[in-house]
Amino acid sequence: MGGIRLWMSAALIEFVFRDGVPANRDEAAIRMGASPVFVGSGRTRDGRNKGTVRMRKSAPSRARCACYLIGRLAMQRLDWAKAMYKDARRRKQSAATAFRRIARCVLRIQTSMARTGTLYDNDRYVASLKAHGVPWAAAL
């Protein structure tokens, strides 16, 4: 994938692929700190969640930093990531949360690439987003 350079590749190998390809598609995002953690339980009377979603702090700081940069670089280079970033900002999410959200998708893609041995195809991924009815991908 474009934008993944030596430092981030080293971080991916160190934190994600050190023990082989993760079996679970979200395991890479958990190891890198991209998967959010919900703190709290229950709902208010009007149906809102009582808790909050926070960044996963159990991941090493170097992994979280690499995760942020992967999301930011993807946003700068990939059209679907730009659309996802705009959607996140429209929904009042912080830039850091939007970058982690993008990084989680990138990590899923990279885990799939490592598992199947295929190369990244941007057009195929965008077509998949549209086929699954992702609202922010409709304009791509």
Side-chain angles (χ1 to χ4, degrees), residues 8-138:
M8 282 170 278
S9 297
L12 287 172
I13 291 169
E14 180 181 352
F15 298 110
V16 178
F17 300 112
R18 163 181 65 218
D19 301 324
V21 179
N24 182 343
R25 72 181 198 149
D26 289 324
E27 185 64 30
I30 291 169
R31 292 179 188 175
M32 294 290 287
S35 290
V37 176
F38 183 77
V39 179
S41 64
R43 295 186 177 271
T44 61
R45 290 180 187 213
D46 60 355
R48 292 179 292 126
N49 289 329
K50 283 186 177 178
T52 59
V53 176
R54 297 193 182 162
M55 182 175 72
R56 185 174 296 270
K57 300 278 185 167
S58 63
S61 63
R62 186 165 173 248
R64 292 193 314 260
C65 182
C67 174
Y68 176 90
L69 289 173
I70 287 169
R72 184 173 176 150
L73 289 172
M75 189 271 300
Q76 292 173 344
R77 299 175 187 274
L78 300 170
D79 55 347
W80 64 264
K82 287 177 189 172
M84 183 184 247
Y85 179 80
K86 287 179 184 175
D87 177 65
R89 297 300 285 166
R90 182 188 57 76
R91 295 170 49 190
K92 307 277 191 252
Q93 291 181 346
S94 69
T97 299
F99 292 146
R100 283 191 302 272
R101 187 174 148 192
I102 294 166
R104 186 173 182 204
C105 290
V106 170
L107 291 167
R108 284 180 175 172
I109 292 168
Q110 290 177 342
T111 301
S112 175
M113 288 169 41
R115 188 180 308 118
T116 62
T118 58
L119 296 176
Y120 175 70
D121 182 4
N122 191 57
D123 296 331
R124 182 176 166 202
Y125 185 67
V126 170
S128 174
L129 290 172
K130 289 179 181 179
H132 285 91
V134 177
W136 52 261

